[in-house]
Amino acid sequence: MPRQEGRSAAPSAAFGGTRSPGRLVAFSDAVFAIAVTLLVLDIRPPEDFRRLFHGLGLLWPSYLAYSVTFLMIGQIWVNHHVMFDHIRLVDRLLMFLNTLLLMDVAFLPFAASVLSDAFHSGDGERGAVVFYGATIELAAILFNIIWAYARRGRRLLGSTIDDAGARFVARRFRVAIVWIGAGTLVGAFLPLLGVAVIAAFIPAYWLPIRGERTGAG
């Protein structure tokens, strides 16, 4: 009986009632898919086909922005699934926070385009890296807010993760804020190095999180 009372208390403490996260995850997956697809539209063929390979080589800023951003969005998608593998219920506030995250993800192709054009022109590289990094930094901040809200009092979490595992996930997400922030700061002075620091975040965050599996401790 006490366990049943505890479970019934969770939805009542939620903001605007609770529901299954299935549709939220499906909608999120669609936004991620559209965002990565839009990235390739910024890569335009060279104008001079008589020197095709030379022209293709000059497109390196477009390749850089495309590859880093595609992998970054992919990594965000993976960690989004890590979160929602353990979130059994969502309320209106969590859906709103997730919508803000998706809005930021959908903005990433534009930020990548600004980054690419700045390196193509040779002007404004520092500002472009700061703008690009700030866009990713916002996603990292929203990840932390969503997870902190979901795990508060375990109101929205399922039984697939224990308290220690939830803390491990939170710790990994907090590191992202510092890492991306550092890359953005470096980019304000050394643009290419700043992009390299931000890009290094991608393979590090593809590694499994210690607490993401059931019974991890």
Side-chain angles (χ1 to χ4, degrees):
M1 289 297 294
R3 180 175 298 179
Q4 292 177 349
E5 292 174 0
R7 289 190 176 184
S8 63
S12 64
F15 184 77
T18 59
R19 54 196 49 81
S20 167
R23 292 187 65 184
L24 179 149
V25 173
F27 176 68
S28 300
D29 286 349
V31 173
F32 286 125
I34 293 170
V36 294
T37 303
L38 290 175
L39 289 171
V40 76
L41 299 180
D42 192 53
I43 304 179
R44 305 176 189 89
E47 295 180 359
D48 187 2
F49 276 77
R50 291 172 298 180
R51 304 176 62 195
L52 179 60
F53 290 104
H54 175 72
L56 289 172
L58 293 177
L59 293 176
W60 69 265
S62 295
Y63 306 145
L64 176 66
Y66 170 80
S67 57
V68 172
T69 311
F70 194 107
L71 292 173
M72 181 67 71
I73 293 175
Q75 178 253 96
I76 294 172
W77 172 73
V78 168
N79 283 283
H80 189 268
H81 272 279
V82 170
M83 280 202 301
F84 282 92
D85 281 347
H86 304 300
I87 295 175
R88 68 182 178 91
L89 295 171
V90 297
D91 62 11
R92 284 184 176 270
L93 181 54
L94 193 143
M95 288 191 290
F96 173 71
L97 293 171
N98 188 73
T99 300
L100 292 180
L101 174 62
L102 297 179
M103 183 170 68
D104 185 70
V105 170
F107 191 74
L108 272 171
F110 174 70
S113 179
V114 171
L115 182 70
S116 172
D117 287 351
F119 279 103
H120 272 300
S121 67
D123 297 318
E125 296 101 324
R126 295 179 181 181
V129 175
V130 170
F131 179 68
Y132 182 74
T135 305
I136 302 172
E137 179 79 352
L138 178 58
I141 292 170
L142 288 168
F143 252 91
N144 280 269
I145 293 173
I146 291 170
W147 185 246
Y149 179 72
R151 65 185 284 249
R152 187 177 63 185
R154 298 192 60 92
R155 294 175 304 110
L156 303 176
L157 292 185
S159 59
T160 55
I161 192 168
D162 57 18
D163 290 340
R167 286 194 299 271
F168 283 125
V169 173
R171 189 179 306 166
R172 172 73 72 89
F173 288 170
R174 284 196 297 269
V175 171
I177 296 177
V178 177
W179 194 321
I180 298 299
T184 303
L185 182 62
V186 170
F189 301 96
L190 300 168
L192 274 177
L193 182 58
V195 173
V197 173
I198 293 172
F201 167 81
I202 298 170
Y205 263 60
W206 274 96
L207 297 174
I209 303 174
R210 183 179 177 188
E212 72 178 79
R213 296 181 299 275
T214 305

